[in-house]
Amino acid sequence: MTGAHSRIPTDPSDEALSTSRSRRLMSGYIFGNPPSPDNTTRHAMYSNLVNERHPTPPLRDLQGRDSPPLSEFTAPSSPTTAGEGMDSAAAAASLAKLKMSTEAPGGGDDGLPRTDTYDPLTGLNDGEADLDESAPQAAFTTAEYMKGEDTEAGKYRFPRHRLRKTMKDETKIPLVIVACGSFSPPTYLHLRMFEMAKDEIVESQTFEIMGGYYSPVSSKYKKAGLAAAQDRVRMCELAVEHTSTWLMVDPWEAGQPEYQRTAVVLEHFDEELNARSGGVTMSDGKKRRYKVMLLAGGDLIESFGEPGVWSEPDLHIILGRFGCLIVERAGSDVWAFLLSHDILYSHRRNVIVIKQLIYNDISSTKVRLFVRRGMSIKYLLPNSVIQYIYDNQLYRGSDARLIQ
Ligand SMILES: Nc1ncnc2c1ncn2[C@@H]1O[C@H](COP(=O)(O)OP(=O)(O)OP(=O)(O)O)[C@@H](O)[C@H]1O
Ligand SMILES: NC(=O)c1ccc[n+]([C@@H]2O[C@H](COP(=O)(O)O)[C@@H](O)[C@H]2O)c1
């Protein structure tokens, strides 16, 4: 365990915060159709008004930057950055496969030229990512840590196997994206959030993505429908193991005996990435800090305005010291909320709003409900996660919140 939380004083009202957040969700949309921007929710009504009077400004207007040309997409990086932190056998197999596919004369089976370098942000087989066997895999499992075993294997280790340690463009800011949430279960929407963020970041040209993490909340978060923390951590791992080459799962928060506020979780990442290992190594040998940003949906951000859910000092830490990537969510108007919330507005230059160009509103709540009713959940989440749900008989019982 790290002492991350010691840097932010423990708030005696942590429990109240988490319970209050759960209460908010209990009154949220559970049964009805997912709210659309046209629905008459409090936020939607307000947002329609704001939209009429103040059309949404492009983000870069707020940030005082010009739109970069679309052609400036990622240059491939060296394979060595992707392999660090893997166990040697997995690394060797991975690199052998990588070598085979990059050495194929004249290209692959499809006759198209192959790239001869590896980019962990897109992977070798982008487009067939479920089969991307070249994705670096963790050298250790988190099962023992999640069981709280007092053994060597049970020790907490921060996952770094997909974390890039050097930059392709040192004029940019090295960025690590962290998504906090329940992930009960993780869905394709949760995976898409990171890809949407990646597109926005690449487009903005300010940051270079060094890695992304899921941080599932612990079982102490009193939210109905929450599977055991070890199941949620494992499902998140399964969700990214072969579908992504840059996403990882940090089990630290999930394995804590007490609920950890999001500000504390971000502190933990900062400590692991910067205090413990000194940050990114630059070409001149100097170190630079990783910037850590929270990735969240619009609904979570709107909860910033709800009394008792977030403390003001925490919001200043999250938004001021770290920063937020906010994915629009159907039913929430992020721009209107950003304008209306004083703390959020004061840190707006550290906030990036991501437009969902293809709206995806896959909901974990509904996935759980489908499982319980024996309905299909195929194509809503990766098959490996579906298999885990069935193997472990998750989400079969009644969920108090759903049947109220
Ligand atoms: N459809 C969506 N659009 C944008 N963001 C989303 C969407 N669904 C979830 N998120 C975001 O994903 C993160 C993790 O969500 P979390 O698992 O805690 O809740 P959820 O997906 O709403 O699940 P549940 O249905 O169990 O409440 C949060 O930041 C949440 O705002
Ligand atoms: N005060 C806080 O730090 C605070 C409050 C509400 C939710 N959260 C976090 O937001 C994430 C998502 O929560 P929900 O699943 O309730 O939307 C969780 O990781 C939770 O810990 C943090």
Side-chain angles (χ1 to χ4, degrees), residues 182-183 189-190 193 223 297 299 329 356 360-361 365 368:
S182 308
F183 309 114
L189 177 276
H190 296 127
M193 282 175 70
K223 183 174 170 182
D299 63 314
R329 187 168 187 171
Q356 283 209 49
N360 179 343
D361 205 16
T365 300
R368 295 194 297 271

Side-chain angles (χ1 to χ4, degrees), residues 373-391:
R373 299 298 182 209
M375 293 159 70
S376 167
I377 52 171
K378 201 163 162 63
Y379 308 125
L380 295 174
L381 52 167
N383 283 342
S384 51
V385 179
I386 296 179
Q387 191 65 47
Y388 187 93
I389 291 173
Y390 287 108
D391 288 350

Side-chain angles (χ1 to χ4, degrees), residues 100-119:
M100 269 169 54
S101 62
T102 54
E103 281 178 0
D109 296 340
D110 51 10
L112 294 172
R114 285 273 187 261
T115 70
D116 57 358
T117 47
Y118 179 78
D119 183 349

